[in-house]
Amino acid sequence: MSERVIRRAVVPGSYDPVTNGHVDVIARAAVLYDEVVVAILHNPAKEGTFAVAERIGFLEDVVAGLPTGADNVRVEAFAGRLLVDVCRDLEAQVVVKGLRGGTDFAYEVPMALMNRHLTGLETLFLPGDPSLEHVSSSLVKEVVRYGGDVRGLVPDTVLGALLARLPGD
Ligand code: PNS
């Protein structure tokens, strides 16, 4: 009898910081696959708004609160690596990404095709929740920076950190 292969997906991103749009995609991936690795891919030469350790902390809180439980999802960070190499090391067969609309489609499809060209790595696109279609890490940061309200668009721990960090920075 052949051994059952674990279906492992990577949900990659900068997560600077995680938004509720990301949370939706992570939660749905956790239902679809045996194991999910939420992979923070960052450029060590570029300082983000949040340190990688903070981004990991936010994501670990998110994972702990998933409806499916945290058992099949873990968070890891990778500096200066190609996504295809990360997936090969993790023995993940697929990348899962959310698509918010045409702009995401135009940005994501060439990356998905390049990853498939490089190693055969496949990408599964999930349509983003329409109620979160306008939500991105960069827009959320801009809104908070100028005093706008982003409650409901990011996890509560992230909201607190944004309010403490951004206004007047
Ligand atoms: O949250 P983001 O910024 O949309 O995430 C983009 C990310 C980090 C997933 C993408 O830039 C990526 O895969 N970077 C790793 C480097 C890499 O593999 N680049 C070539 C992609 S074809």
Side-chain angles (χ1 to χ4, degrees):
M1 213 166 66
S2 63
E3 220 177 284
R4 185 173 164 275
V5 174
I6 291 176
R7 296 174 313 135
R8 187 177 293 119
V10 166
V11 186
S14 309
Y15 298 109
D16 188 27
V18 57
T19 68
N20 284 348
H22 294 125
V23 176
D24 174 55
V25 173
I26 294 165
R28 288 157 69 190
V31 173
L32 292 170
Y33 291 95
D34 298 322
E35 290 183 14
V36 169
V37 181
V38 180
I40 302 171
L41 287 140
H42 63 103
N43 178 347
K46 266 205 215 158
E47 210 184 315
T49 303
F50 291 100
V52 172
E54 291 177 287
R55 297 183 221 175
I56 292 174
F58 299 146
L59 281 163
E60 281 179 344
D61 281 351
V62 162
V63 167
L66 287 175
T68 50
D71 290 355
N72 71 332
V73 185
R74 66 181 199 267
V75 181
E76 291 195 30
F78 301 89
R81 305 276 315 278
L82 280 175
L83 180 58
V84 289
D85 291 333
V86 167
C87 289
R88 187 158 33 206
D89 290 356
L90 293 170
E91 296 181 43
Q93 303 90 346
V94 65
V95 167
V96 177
K97 285 261 186 137
L99 281 188
R100 284 164 300 194
T103 312
D104 272 359
F105 184 83
Y107 174 71
E108 295 290 348
V109 168
M111 289 205 287
L113 291 174
M114 179 59 83
N115 288 333
R116 188 157 171 259
H117 168 85
L118 290 171
T119 63
L121 179 66
E122 292 284 14
T123 300
L124 177 82
F125 290 123
L126 295 179
D129 181 331
S131 70
L132 298 168
E133 204 165 301
H134 54 300
V135 179
S136 68
S137 303
S138 53
L139 264 189
V140 159
K141 287 189 281 192
E142 181 162 325
V143 171
V144 171
R145 193 170 278 125
Y146 295 108
D149 185 357
V150 297
R151 271 175 298 175
L153 306 185
V154 291
D156 287 345
T157 45
V158 171
L159 182 64
L162 282 167
L163 293 173
R165 177 73 50 91
L166 286 177
D169 71 349

PDB file of all heavy atoms in Angstrom, residues 8 10 78 81-95 115 117-121:
ATOM      1  N   ARG A   8       0.329  19.742   1.938  1.00  0.00           N
ATOM      2  CA  ARG A   8       0.808  20.893   2.717  1.00  0.00           C
ATOM      3  C   ARG A   8       0.825  22.143   1.820  1.00  0.00           C
ATOM      4  O   ARG A   8       1.400  22.115   0.726  1.00  0.00           O
ATOM      5  CB  ARG A   8       2.218  20.589   3.231  1.00  0.00           C
ATOM      6  CG  ARG A   8       2.743  21.644   4.193  1.00  0.00           C
ATOM      7  CD  ARG A   8       4.112  21.247   4.725  1.00  0.00           C
ATOM      8  NE  ARG A   8       4.056  20.070   5.581  1.00  0.00           N
ATOM      9  CZ  ARG A   8       4.689  18.920   5.327  1.00  0.00           C
ATOM     10  NH1 ARG A   8       5.434  18.774   4.255  1.00  0.00           N
ATOM     11  NH2 ARG A   8       4.574  17.908   6.165  1.00  0.00           N
ATOM     12  N   VAL A  10       1.458  26.457   1.473  1.00  0.00           N
ATOM     13  CA  VAL A  10       2.099  27.657   2.026  1.00  0.00           C
ATOM     14  C   VAL A  10       1.225  28.861   1.693  1.00  0.00           C
ATOM     15  O   VAL A  10       0.777  29.008   0.556  1.00  0.00           O
ATOM     16  CB  VAL A  10       3.521  27.832   1.446  1.00  0.00           C
ATOM     17  CG1 VAL A  10       4.071  29.222   1.739  1.00  0.00           C
ATOM     18  CG2 VAL A  10       4.450  26.772   2.028  1.00  0.00           C
ATOM     19  N   PHE A  78      11.068  33.786   6.582  1.00  0.00           N
ATOM     20  CA  PHE A  78      12.187  33.472   5.685  1.00  0.00           C
ATOM     21  C   PHE A  78      12.741  34.776   5.140  1.00  0.00           C
ATOM     22  O   PHE A  78      11.994  35.607   4.620  1.00  0.00           O
ATOM     23  CB  PHE A  78      11.707  32.575   4.539  1.00  0.00           C
ATOM     24  CG  PHE A  78      11.103  31.288   5.007  1.00  0.00           C
ATOM     25  CD1 PHE A  78       9.743  31.216   5.288  1.00  0.00           C
ATOM     26  CD2 PHE A  78      11.882  30.165   5.203  1.00  0.00           C
ATOM     27  CE1 PHE A  78       9.169  30.036   5.745  1.00  0.00           C
ATOM     28  CE2 PHE A  78      11.316  28.972   5.658  1.00  0.00           C
ATOM     29  CZ  PHE A  78       9.961  28.909   5.933  1.00  0.00           C
ATOM     30  N   ARG A  81      14.678  34.759   0.475  1.00  0.00           N
ATOM     31  CA  ARG A  81      14.568  33.460  -0.206  1.00  0.00           C
ATOM     32  C   ARG A  81      13.507  33.535  -1.294  1.00  0.00           C
ATOM     33  O   ARG A  81      12.532  34.269  -1.190  1.00  0.00           O
ATOM     34  CB  ARG A  81      14.120  32.359   0.780  1.00  0.00           C
ATOM     35  CG  ARG A  81      14.962  32.178   2.017  1.00  0.00           C
ATOM     36  CD  ARG A  81      16.171  31.288   1.800  1.00  0.00           C
ATOM     37  NE  ARG A  81      15.917  30.063   1.060  1.00  0.00           N
ATOM     38  CZ  ARG A  81      15.424  28.943   1.581  1.00  0.00           C
ATOM     39  NH1 ARG A  81      15.119  28.869   2.857  1.00  0.00           N
ATOM     40  NH2 ARG A  81      15.251  27.862   0.832  1.00  0.00           N
ATOM     41  N   LEU A  82      13.701  32.724  -2.339  1.00  0.00           N
ATOM     42  CA  LEU A  82      12.635  32.542  -3.331  1.00  0.00           C
ATOM     43  C   LEU A  82      11.534  31.679  -2.716  1.00  0.00           C
ATOM     44  O   LEU A  82      11.823  30.689  -2.017  1.00  0.00           O
ATOM     45  CB  LEU A  82      13.161  31.836  -4.580  1.00  0.00           C
ATOM     46  CG  LEU A  82      13.924  32.668  -5.614  1.00  0.00           C
ATOM     47  CD1 LEU A  82      14.462  31.747  -6.701  1.00  0.00           C
ATOM     48  CD2 LEU A  82      13.078  33.778  -6.204  1.00  0.00           C
ATOM     49  N   LEU A  83      10.287  32.015  -3.065  1.00  0.00           N
ATOM     50  CA  LEU A  83       9.161  31.240  -2.559  1.00  0.00           C
ATOM     51  C   LEU A  83       9.265  29.768  -2.982  1.00  0.00           C
ATOM     52  O   LEU A  83       8.942  28.856  -2.203  1.00  0.00           O
ATOM     53  CB  LEU A  83       7.851  31.867  -3.064  1.00  0.00           C
ATOM     54  CG  LEU A  83       6.562  31.192  -2.644  1.00  0.00           C
ATOM     55  CD1 LEU A  83       6.430  31.125  -1.128  1.00  0.00           C
ATOM     56  CD2 LEU A  83       5.369  31.940  -3.247  1.00  0.00           C
ATOM     57  N   VAL A  84       9.723  29.530  -4.203  1.00  0.00           N
ATOM     58  CA  VAL A  84       9.817  28.124  -4.667  1.00  0.00           C
ATOM     59  C   VAL A  84      10.811  27.322  -3.818  1.00  0.00           C
ATOM     60  O   VAL A  84      10.588  26.134  -3.559  1.00  0.00           O
ATOM     61  CB  VAL A  84      10.202  28.022  -6.174  1.00  0.00           C
ATOM     62  CG1 VAL A  84       9.066  28.466  -7.067  1.00  0.00           C
ATOM     63  CG2 VAL A  84      11.481  28.767  -6.492  1.00  0.00           C
ATOM     64  N   ASP A  85      11.897  27.984  -3.375  1.00  0.00           N
ATOM     65  CA  ASP A  85      12.884  27.267  -2.552  1.00  0.00           C
ATOM     66  C   ASP A  85      12.333  26.992  -1.151  1.00  0.00           C
ATOM     67  O   ASP A  85      12.559  25.922  -0.573  1.00  0.00           O
ATOM     68  CB  ASP A  85      14.189  28.077  -2.477  1.00  0.00           C
ATOM     69  CG  ASP A  85      14.900  28.114  -3.815  1.00  0.00           C
ATOM     70  OD1 ASP A  85      14.714  27.168  -4.614  1.00  0.00           O
ATOM     71  OD2 ASP A  85      15.626  29.092  -4.077  1.00  0.00           O
ATOM     72  N   VAL A  86      11.591  27.989  -0.628  1.00  0.00           N
ATOM     73  CA  VAL A  86      10.952  27.804   0.679  1.00  0.00           C
ATOM     74  C   VAL A  86       9.973  26.624   0.609  1.00  0.00           C
ATOM     75  O   VAL A  86       9.961  25.750   1.481  1.00  0.00           O
ATOM     76  CB  VAL A  86      10.222  29.113   1.082  1.00  0.00           C
ATOM     77  CG1 VAL A  86       9.275  28.884   2.257  1.00  0.00           C
ATOM     78  CG2 VAL A  86      11.233  30.208   1.415  1.00  0.00           C
ATOM     79  N   CYS A  87       9.181  26.586  -0.465  1.00  0.00           N
ATOM     80  CA  CYS A  87       8.182  25.513  -0.594  1.00  0.00           C
ATOM     81  C   CYS A  87       8.854  24.151  -0.754  1.00  0.00           C
ATOM     82  O   CYS A  87       8.377  23.143  -0.222  1.00  0.00           O
ATOM     83  CB  CYS A  87       7.234  25.803  -1.760  1.00  0.00           C
ATOM     84  SG  CYS A  87       6.118  27.169  -1.400  1.00  0.00           S
ATOM     85  N   ARG A  88       9.960  24.125  -1.473  1.00  0.00           N
ATOM     86  CA  ARG A  88      10.672  22.854  -1.638  1.00  0.00           C
ATOM     87  C   ARG A  88      11.191  22.369  -0.276  1.00  0.00           C
ATOM     88  O   ARG A  88      11.020  21.217   0.083  1.00  0.00           O
ATOM     89  CB  ARG A  88      11.832  23.020  -2.627  1.00  0.00           C
ATOM     90  CG  ARG A  88      12.490  21.703  -2.958  1.00  0.00           C
ATOM     91  CD  ARG A  88      13.268  21.676  -4.258  1.00  0.00           C
ATOM     92  NE  ARG A  88      13.891  22.940  -4.586  1.00  0.00           N
ATOM     93  CZ  ARG A  88      14.197  23.335  -5.825  1.00  0.00           C
ATOM     94  NH1 ARG A  88      13.939  22.543  -6.837  1.00  0.00           N
ATOM     95  NH2 ARG A  88      14.764  24.501  -6.048  1.00  0.00           N
ATOM     96  N   ASP A  89      11.783  23.306   0.490  1.00  0.00           N
ATOM     97  CA  ASP A  89      12.303  22.922   1.815  1.00  0.00           C
ATOM     98  C   ASP A  89      11.189  22.444   2.741  1.00  0.00           C
ATOM     99  O   ASP A  89      11.398  21.555   3.569  1.00  0.00           O
ATOM    100  CB  ASP A  89      13.025  24.104   2.477  1.00  0.00           C
ATOM    101  CG  ASP A  89      14.338  24.427   1.779  1.00  0.00           C
ATOM    102  OD1 ASP A  89      14.709  23.695   0.847  1.00  0.00           O
ATOM    103  OD2 ASP A  89      14.982  25.434   2.150  1.00  0.00           O
ATOM    104  N   LEU A  90      10.022  23.080   2.613  1.00  0.00           N
ATOM    105  CA  LEU A  90       8.898  22.721   3.489  1.00  0.00           C
ATOM    106  C   LEU A  90       8.119  21.503   2.975  1.00  0.00           C
ATOM    107  O   LEU A  90       7.187  21.049   3.626  1.00  0.00           O
ATOM    108  CB  LEU A  90       7.928  23.904   3.618  1.00  0.00           C
ATOM    109  CG  LEU A  90       8.448  25.152   4.341  1.00  0.00           C
ATOM    110  CD1 LEU A  90       7.470  26.313   4.183  1.00  0.00           C
ATOM    111  CD2 LEU A  90       8.658  24.847   5.827  1.00  0.00           C
ATOM    112  N   GLU A  91       8.516  21.026   1.787  1.00  0.00           N
ATOM    113  CA  GLU A  91       7.785  19.927   1.125  1.00  0.00           C
ATOM    114  C   GLU A  91       6.301  20.284   0.967  1.00  0.00           C
ATOM    115  O   GLU A  91       5.400  19.487   1.259  1.00  0.00           O
ATOM    116  CB  GLU A  91       7.977  18.608   1.874  1.00  0.00           C
ATOM    117  CG  GLU A  91       9.430  18.159   1.854  1.00  0.00           C
ATOM    118  CD  GLU A  91       9.635  16.828   2.572  1.00  0.00           C
ATOM    119  OE1 GLU A  91       8.817  15.917   2.375  1.00  0.00           O
ATOM    120  OE2 GLU A  91      10.614  16.725   3.323  1.00  0.00           O
ATOM    121  N   ALA A  92       6.066  21.526   0.522  1.00  0.00           N
ATOM    122  CA  ALA A  92       4.699  21.997   0.264  1.00  0.00           C
ATOM    123  C   ALA A  92       4.441  21.907  -1.233  1.00  0.00           C
ATOM    124  O   ALA A  92       5.283  22.299  -2.046  1.00  0.00           O
ATOM    125  CB  ALA A  92       4.539  23.438   0.738  1.00  0.00           C
ATOM    126  N   GLN A  93       3.262  21.397  -1.590  1.00  0.00           N
ATOM    127  CA  GLN A  93       2.947  21.193  -3.012  1.00  0.00           C
ATOM    128  C   GLN A  93       2.278  22.397  -3.636  1.00  0.00           C
ATOM    129  O   GLN A  93       2.187  22.497  -4.852  1.00  0.00           O
ATOM    130  CB  GLN A  93       2.007  19.986  -3.190  1.00  0.00           C
ATOM    131  CG  GLN A  93       2.496  18.676  -2.630  1.00  0.00           C
ATOM    132  CD  GLN A  93       2.080  18.461  -1.186  1.00  0.00           C
ATOM    133  OE1 GLN A  93       1.655  19.378  -0.520  1.00  0.00           O
ATOM    134  NE2 GLN A  93       2.243  17.241  -0.712  1.00  0.00           N
ATOM    135  N   VAL A  94       1.776  23.304  -2.815  1.00  0.00           N
ATOM    136  CA  VAL A  94       0.942  24.372  -3.366  1.00  0.00           C
ATOM    137  C   VAL A  94       1.068  25.653  -2.533  1.00  0.00           C
ATOM    138  O   VAL A  94       1.327  25.606  -1.331  1.00  0.00           O
ATOM    139  CB  VAL A  94      -0.536  23.895  -3.454  1.00  0.00           C
ATOM    140  CG1 VAL A  94      -1.125  23.642  -2.084  1.00  0.00           C
ATOM    141  CG2 VAL A  94      -1.419  24.864  -4.226  1.00  0.00           C
ATOM    142  N   VAL A  95       0.893  26.772  -3.251  1.00  0.00           N
ATOM    143  CA  VAL A  95       0.818  28.099  -2.618  1.00  0.00           C
ATOM    144  C   VAL A  95      -0.648  28.516  -2.669  1.00  0.00           C
ATOM    145  O   VAL A  95      -1.312  28.311  -3.681  1.00  0.00           O
ATOM    146  CB  VAL A  95       1.679  29.111  -3.412  1.00  0.00           C
ATOM    147  CG1 VAL A  95       1.386  30.543  -2.982  1.00  0.00           C
ATOM    148  CG2 VAL A  95       3.151  28.781  -3.263  1.00  0.00           C
ATOM    149  N   ASN A 115       6.630  30.893 -10.750  1.00  0.00           N
ATOM    150  CA  ASN A 115       6.895  29.824  -9.776  1.00  0.00           C
ATOM    151  C   ASN A 115       6.693  28.453 -10.423  1.00  0.00           C
ATOM    152  O   ASN A 115       7.453  27.511 -10.184  1.00  0.00           O
ATOM    153  CB  ASN A 115       5.994  29.999  -8.550  1.00  0.00           C
ATOM    154  CG  ASN A 115       6.437  31.179  -7.696  1.00  0.00           C
ATOM    155  OD1 ASN A 115       7.620  31.547  -7.695  1.00  0.00           O
ATOM    156  ND2 ASN A 115       5.505  31.786  -6.981  1.00  0.00           N
ATOM    157  N   HIS A 117       7.015  27.845 -13.621  1.00  0.00           N
ATOM    158  CA  HIS A 117       8.133  27.694 -14.551  1.00  0.00           C
ATOM    159  C   HIS A 117       9.385  27.205 -13.804  1.00  0.00           C
ATOM    160  O   HIS A 117      10.115  26.336 -14.303  1.00  0.00           O
ATOM    161  CB  HIS A 117       8.408  29.049 -15.218  1.00  0.00           C
ATOM    162  CG  HIS A 117       9.692  29.115 -15.968  1.00  0.00           C
ATOM    163  ND1 HIS A 117       9.818  28.688 -17.278  1.00  0.00           N
ATOM    164  CD2 HIS A 117      10.930  29.548 -15.604  1.00  0.00           C
ATOM    165  CE1 HIS A 117      11.062  28.862 -17.672  1.00  0.00           C
ATOM    166  NE2 HIS A 117      11.751  29.370 -16.690  1.00  0.00           N
ATOM    167  N   LEU A 118       9.637  27.762 -12.626  1.00  0.00           N
ATOM    168  CA  LEU A 118      10.890  27.467 -11.922  1.00  0.00           C
ATOM    169  C   LEU A 118      10.935  26.025 -11.403  1.00  0.00           C
ATOM    170  O   LEU A 118      11.941  25.338 -11.590  1.00  0.00           O
ATOM    171  CB  LEU A 118      11.085  28.453 -10.756  1.00  0.00           C
ATOM    172  CG  LEU A 118      11.395  29.906 -11.173  1.00  0.00           C
ATOM    173  CD1 LEU A 118      11.347  30.824  -9.957  1.00  0.00           C
ATOM    174  CD2 LEU A 118      12.764  30.007 -11.842  1.00  0.00           C
ATOM    175  N   THR A 119       9.865  25.600 -10.753  1.00  0.00           N
ATOM    176  CA  THR A 119       9.917  24.258 -10.125  1.00  0.00           C
ATOM    177  C   THR A 119       8.658  23.427 -10.322  1.00  0.00           C
ATOM    178  O   THR A 119       8.554  22.335  -9.763  1.00  0.00           O
ATOM    179  CB  THR A 119      10.140  24.370  -8.593  1.00  0.00           C
ATOM    180  OG1 THR A 119       9.015  25.060  -8.027  1.00  0.00           O
ATOM    181  CG2 THR A 119      11.413  25.093  -8.232  1.00  0.00           C
ATOM    182  N   GLY A 120       7.655  23.983 -11.019  1.00  0.00           N
ATOM    183  CA  GLY A 120       6.382  23.263 -11.136  1.00  0.00           C
ATOM    184  C   GLY A 120       5.437  23.566  -9.986  1.00  0.00           C
ATOM    185  O   GLY A 120       4.336  23.007  -9.920  1.00  0.00           O
ATOM    186  N   LEU A 121       5.841  24.457  -9.085  1.00  0.00           N
ATOM    187  CA  LEU A 121       4.996  24.796  -7.931  1.00  0.00           C
ATOM    188  C   LEU A 121       3.683  25.421  -8.403  1.00  0.00           C
ATOM    189  O   LEU A 121       3.687  26.365  -9.189  1.00  0.00           O
ATOM    190  CB  LEU A 121       5.743  25.792  -7.025  1.00  0.00           C
ATOM    191  CG  LEU A 121       4.994  26.280  -5.785  1.00  0.00           C
ATOM    192  CD1 LEU A 121       4.769  25.141  -4.791  1.00  0.00           C
ATOM    193  CD2 LEU A 121       5.787  27.410  -5.104  1.00  0.00           C
TER     194      LEU A 121
END
